[in-house]
Amino acid sequence: EASVCQADVTSESDCQRIVETCLDRYGELHILFNNVGIAGSGKVTEIEDEVWNRALDGNLKSAVLTSKYAVPKMVEGGGGSIIHLSSIDGIRAGGSTNVPYSVAKGGLITLTKAMAVHHGRDNIRVNCIAPGHIHAPFVADFPNELRKLRQKAGPLGTEGNAWDVAWAAVFLASTEARWISGVILPIDAGLLAATPL
């Protein structure tokens, strides 16, 4: 069952409203998937204030604010699973100059580890997915030459799709992952295991 709640995830009051809406509709809250992707390009010498703030607020602040209001409700309900969506760009420098995006996604990795430690005794597991070269609307306008390079970069030689990420999230949300917390899971065709020539 899908249910929509329109909100600005960079607004604290809206993040609180999302949690309250979930509780009103379903009675309890046990899973939070912070799945936001806001681009932010440029080297550190090229960063514009607006781009920096948009990337940090959209990718990182949103996860902090939704978690701020979700965690106490999860505690009341006996625990749960929080999953943050990062990126391999949050782990290592990518092929593009995207410092605002990469820093925000790296922040999600640190947030994951801190929250896993801080809320583990509340029976809340916190994990992070770091997708690699996924073909999705976020990169739909990439030229074919770049898509071919992305396909070749990983040992499996293919791009992923949204389902590759979604199934990982389903697993991490499930009771089958009951003993997994504080983990950063690359979904990347083996890219991070490889050393480029």
Side-chain angles (χ1 to χ4, degrees):
E1 180 180 325
S3 177
V4 175
C5 173
Q6 185 173 342
D8 175 357
V9 291
T10 67
S11 159
E12 183 164 359
S13 61
D14 274 15
C15 289
Q16 183 176 14
R17 184 170 54 81
I18 291 168
V19 170
E20 291 169 353
T21 299
C22 178
L23 292 168
D24 289 344
R25 292 178 185 173
Y26 300 102
E28 293 183 334
L29 174 60
H30 296 285
I31 300 165
L32 172 62
F33 185 20
N34 284 309
N35 178 14
V36 177
I38 303 294
S41 61
K43 297 177 186 176
V44 73
T45 53
E46 302 165 340
I47 294 173
E48 297 176 8
D49 212 33
E50 182 181 338
V51 173
W52 175 261
N53 290 334
R54 185 170 185 268
L56 269 287
D57 287 354
N59 292 302
L60 183 56
K61 181 182 176 183
S62 64
V64 170
L65 293 177
T66 52
S67 297
K68 176 180 179 177
Y69 292 100
V71 165
K73 300 306 179 184
M74 286 184 172
V75 172
E76 287 176 16
S81 173
I82 297 175
I83 304 151
H84 300 305
L85 189 71
S86 180
S87 166
I88 58 169
D89 287 0
I91 298 171
R92 56 95 180 112
S96 60
T97 54
N98 57 358
V99 168
Y101 175 80
S102 296
V103 168
K105 292 301 187 178
L108 282 171
I109 290 170
T110 301
L111 178 66
T112 298
K113 294 175 183 179
M115 288 179 63
V117 171
H118 299 160
H119 303 291
R121 291 294 195 267
D122 297 319
N123 196 32
I124 296 174
R125 298 179 295 104
V126 186
N127 292 292
C128 186
I129 296 172
H133 298 142
I134 302 293
H135 185 64
F138 193 66
V139 296
D141 60 346
F142 280 14
N144 281 337
E145 289 178 6
L146 180 54
R147 283 194 64 195
K148 287 177 183 175
L149 282 173
R150 287 162 49 97
Q151 289 167 1
K152 290 179 183 178
L156 293 180
T158 59
E159 286 178 305
N161 61 47
W163 284 110
D164 296 313
V165 176
W167 286 121
V170 168
F171 170 69
L172 290 172
S174 74
T175 55
E176 283 82 0
R178 70 175 191 87
W179 219 50
I180 299 173
S181 193
V183 166
I184 315 308
L185 177 61
I187 309 291
D188 68 349
L191 181 66
L192 292 180
T195 302
L197 295 176

